[in-house]
Amino acid sequence: MPTKLGMSSQKIPTAPVADQIILKRNVFFVQIENQCVKELDPVDSSSRRTIKFEVSPEYTVGDLKAMALSKFGVAYALKGGRLRVDDETVGLRAPLCDQMNIVEARITHKTNLVLQHGMSPQSNQLTLTFTPGEACSGLPDMELIVDRNQTVGTCLKLMLEKANFCDKQWYLRKTNWCGEAAEILDEPDATLEKSLVYDGDHLLLVRGSLPPKGYFRFPVWFHPTSESLQEPLTAATAMLWWLSSSLQGLMKRDDSAPAAKEEPVMIGDIDISKESTLEEMKEIIMTLDLLADIPLPTPKFLRVRLKVDEILGTVLRPDSTSVQRLKLNSSSVLAVQIMKQEEELSPKEIVLNVKVRIPDSKCYAPAKEFVWNTASGSSPRNLKQAIADALLLPAQHIVLAKHFQQRFEWVILLDANYKIEGTQGKKKKGKVSASNLKQSHYNIKDGDVIGVKDLRFDPNNVDNFCTVEDEEGKEKLKVIAEEKRKERLEKKNRQSDIMDREKRPRRPEVGLTIKVDDFTYS
């Protein structure tokens, strides 16, 4: 008597291995460039500069490195060799730890790797680079592998030994994303991990002693005072002459230029607590060597500004504000100017540099300082009227433009004569919305350059404020962009050639047969 299907002791035979469906592993390909050899053999394929490798997420970085060493035929790699990610944007990243798996190392099918000589860091280590001394010294950057639990003081000592510096008057600073000086590592006994120093960070080795705890250290530059577009409120002829005479020995002059040009001077560093006020900061600045011989009546004759990318920017105000509330940090650079009269700017006043266009040319008259009070409004019309009054020109005959120095572009300041539509901010018909120049997209702020064109003498090319320097700067930007585009294209083509050269022929499609026993009742 046949048994029920569910109670049958007979096992269902499995299909032969050849007839089973075999699932393909979750693999992908990465490109590895061999930098362990200087000269390549055009005949020997193992010495090729770049080869594509098939990897699986279960692989470790050490497995991938061993495959690369074998495939490239590298018999000896200094200190075992290591792999690094070659990022298209930031370049070579920190060396990868051999114990990490592919997922932890964030290696994907789009990742480009480099095989090079050197030691691979352990899982508890960090790879740091540092600049030994000032950038102008010309010394190359150095690399150091340290334990993440080492202290800042120990790390400093190791860097001094590697740089072969004998004196101990040095300290470390972090850098931001573009390599500029950032926070000071002012806790020698804190670990690198606690100090938020990460793998691949770049540090600066700075000569000097650490500032006291709770203090900021700021470098201070002295800048010449621009001629004002506005008449001074008070007349102190004797004092102005005295200040001008005193500053002649302070300023550097470029004798190689056709006309002597006053250049900024580095006058020293100051240490100041976070709770100190701006007025107290000015008093400390007045004690620096190059300013101590100039008996300024009060600190209000001193203007303090932030200096960013060699350009004078925000004017610090008011004097009663603390350093902490001014949002300064250890990476801030200060610039000072001596004013011809006491100054106490309000938050609604903006310090601009106004340049008048010379008719029928691509040049401007020397920039003059203009303090714009936005209390009555901050629209293009308000600024145009204020500058027109200072220049004694009719407002309807001038056009203004802001200079974006990094882009070498001028943007005309236009009144927003348009109606706002939509549910939010809806205005009545016929009313005009005035633009706020302090907001996007103009973002007028301290230190901005404003060009002025008088249409009575320069009626052509109203929207063209460019200079020869702007045109040359734009051409340089185009060349840089074109070079980057070519590099990306060459890299893409090189990778495509490698993939085509190593592409495996596809297996022919075959029919799938599954063998199943007959379980029908007899």
Side-chain angles (χ1 to χ4, degrees), residues 405-469:
Q405 302 184 48
Q406 294 182 344
R407 306 199 314 250
F408 302 98
E409 293 180 353
W410 294 82
V411 176
I412 297 180
L413 308 182
L414 298 174
D415 291 320
N417 296 318
Y418 61 89
K419 302 171 187 176
I420 298 179
E421 299 179 356
T423 55
Q424 294 184 353
K426 188 174 182 180
K427 302 268 182 164
K428 292 184 180 180
K429 186 177 181 180
K431 286 198 174 183
V432 175
S433 171
S435 295
N436 185 350
L437 290 180
K438 295 189 291 184
Q439 298 177 356
S440 183
H441 64 285
Y442 296 118
N443 296 318
I444 297 291
K445 58 187 180 303
D446 290 332
D448 281 349
V449 175
I450 304 298
V452 182
K453 182 178 286 192
D454 191 339
L455 299 182
R456 294 176 300 174
F457 305 102
D458 198 359
N460 300 322
N461 298 323
V462 176
D463 58 345
N464 185 7
F465 280 74
C466 287
T467 64
V468 176
E469 292 77 10

Side-chain angles (χ1 to χ4, degrees), residues 236-424:
T237 307
M239 181 176 291
L240 298 183
W241 176 86
W242 164 71
L243 282 174
S244 300
S245 301
S246 301
L247 292 178
Q248 294 302 316
L250 180 64
M251 304 303 299
K252 287 184 179 179
R253 293 183 177 274
D254 185 6
D255 298 331
S256 62
K261 181 182 178 181
E262 293 180 338
E263 298 290 343
V265 179
M266 173 67 177
I267 60 176
D269 297 326
I270 62 169
D271 291 342
I272 189 167
S273 68
K274 301 176 182 178
E275 292 76 21
S276 300
T277 63
L278 177 58
E279 184 174 8
E280 293 171 337
M281 178 194 290
K282 291 181 178 180
E283 292 174 350
I284 296 175
I285 292 175
M286 289 167 61
T287 64
L288 294 175
D289 291 341
L290 294 179
L291 291 180
D293 296 334
I294 302 178
L296 294 174
T298 67
K300 293 185 184 298
F301 279 82
L302 207 62
R303 176 191 288 173
V304 182
R305 310 180 68 165
L306 290 180
K307 186 176 180 180
V308 182
D309 296 333
E310 303 301 322
I311 299 174
L312 294 183
T314 304
V315 177
L316 303 182
R317 74 197 91 169
D319 286 353
S320 59
T321 309
S322 67
V323 173
Q324 193 167 14
R325 293 197 63 182
L326 288 171
K327 297 181 179 180
L328 302 179
N329 54 52
S330 57
S331 62
S332 300
V333 178
L334 303 182
V336 296
Q337 297 171 295
I338 294 180
M339 310 309 296
K340 298 178 181 179
Q341 59 187 11
E342 287 189 329
E343 179 181 76
E344 195 167 358
L345 298 176
S346 70
K348 290 187 176 295
E349 291 178 303
I350 301 176
V351 180
L352 303 173
N353 295 314
V354 176
K355 301 169 70 173
V356 179
R357 180 92 167 190
I358 299 175
D360 299 326
S361 73
K362 295 183 179 181
C363 302
Y364 289 86
K368 293 187 177 182
E369 185 180 277
F370 177 73
V371 179
W372 179 34
N373 192 337
T374 62
S376 58
S378 55
S379 68
R381 184 177 300 177
N382 296 128
L383 178 58
K384 181 187 290 187
Q385 188 62 56
I387 292 179
D389 292 342
L391 293 173
L392 302 178
L393 296 174
Q396 64 271 21
H397 292 315
I398 65 173
V399 178
L400 307 182
K402 174 184 172 178
H403 190 215
F404 290 85
Q405 302 184 48
Q406 294 182 344
R407 306 199 314 250
F408 302 98
E409 293 180 353
W410 294 82
V411 176
I412 297 180
L413 308 182
L414 298 174
D415 291 320
N417 296 318
Y418 61 89
K419 302 171 187 176
I420 298 179
E421 299 179 356
T423 55
Q424 294 184 353

